Amino acid sequence: MTRPDRTPPASGLPRLLGALPLWLLLLPFGVSFALAAWALPRQPERVPVHWNAAGQPDRWGSPAQALLVLPGSLLFGALVVLAAARAGSTSQPLLKAVVLGLGLMALGDVAAQAFGWNSFRVTMGTLGLLFLLVGPALGASGPSALNGPRLSRATLRRLGQAWTLLGALVMLASLLAPAAVWITATLLVGLPVLGLAVIVGARQEQDTAQ
């Protein structure tokens, strides 16, 4: 008889994430909107609000668009994730990692606009940070409705390691790549390689089990 996968007690970063209170998870959003309110009257009339794969602005809009649209969208996504967390549909550390990562993305986006940093690099860097937070939490989680009920503990662990590695690579590229296009290439190449590696590992695991 095959024993069902059991989720071991969380440790390290997943344990820390699981212990974070709701107010701390949402704090980056609060700081983001406070910073946006401070920066709004200090912005020019038109600012870049979107960038292409090469990191060049390809759409312009009002300061309100630049400072509020993405953080507002990320906050909505975080609230949806928190609703799932209250329903208990999957690992609490995993969902809290997503919420915290989205908040840090919002804060990074607003800070880049407020202080004149390279918005494309900051946004991509905070996306890598989101992956770094999600990876360990995913690797320590058990099968669920969100991360795949058919994935075994070993597959989830590999998936978490792959997300962590991709996050580190995207962050490094955001900091060190000589051209923004290399950051985009790191993400676009890393995502399918990550998926392929996990699929191959899961297939090998199934063959071994049979």
Side-chain angles (χ1 to χ4, degrees):
M1 176 181 285
T2 303
R3 291 184 176 180
D5 288 332
R6 293 184 178 180
T7 305
S11 61
L13 180 60
R15 182 176 181 179
L16 177 63
L17 289 168
L20 290 179
L22 178 61
W23 69 267
L24 192 56
L25 293 174
L26 295 177
L27 181 61
F29 287 107
V31 177
S32 298
F33 289 114
L35 183 58
W38 173 84
L40 193 58
R42 295 168 170 80
Q43 299 294 304
E45 289 187 4
R46 295 188 65 78
V47 295
V49 295
H50 190 269
W51 291 260
N52 60 24
Q56 300 299 319
D58 58 6
R59 192 167 76 241
W60 297 72
S62 67
Q65 282 181 279
L67 290 166
L68 298 175
V69 171
L70 181 59
S73 301
L74 294 174
L75 177 59
F76 176 78
L79 293 176
V80 171
V81 173
L82 285 175
R86 292 181 67 87
S89 59
T90 192
S91 163
Q92 296 295 306
L94 174 58
L95 293 178
K96 288 185 174 183
V98 173
V99 172
L100 181 59
L102 292 177
L104 293 174
M105 283 190 68
L107 180 56
D109 179 75
V110 172
Q113 186 65 40
F115 300 119
W117 301 338
N118 186 308
S119 292
F120 181 80
R121 284 184 180 269
V122 171
T123 299
M124 295 297 285
T126 52
L127 178 63
L129 179 58
L130 171 63
F131 293 169
L132 279 175
L133 290 171
V134 167
L138 178 60
S141 66
S144 73
L146 288 185
N147 60 29
R150 296 184 180 180
L151 298 182
S152 69
R153 288 280 312 129
T155 299
L156 285 170
R157 189 162 52 249
R158 282 195 296 270
L159 186 57
Q161 292 168 347
W163 275 115
T164 303
L165 176 60
L166 179 59
L169 291 175
V170 171
M171 284 194 71
L172 285 174
S174 299
L175 291 170
L176 304 176
V181 68
W182 289 102
I183 309 171
T184 305
T186 300
L187 181 63
L188 294 182
V189 172
L191 283 172
V193 169
L194 180 153
L196 180 62
V198 173
I199 291 172
V200 170
R203 285 289 181 87
Q204 291 177 343
E205 186 179 305
Q206 290 178 354
D207 293 342
T208 301
Q210 292 174 355

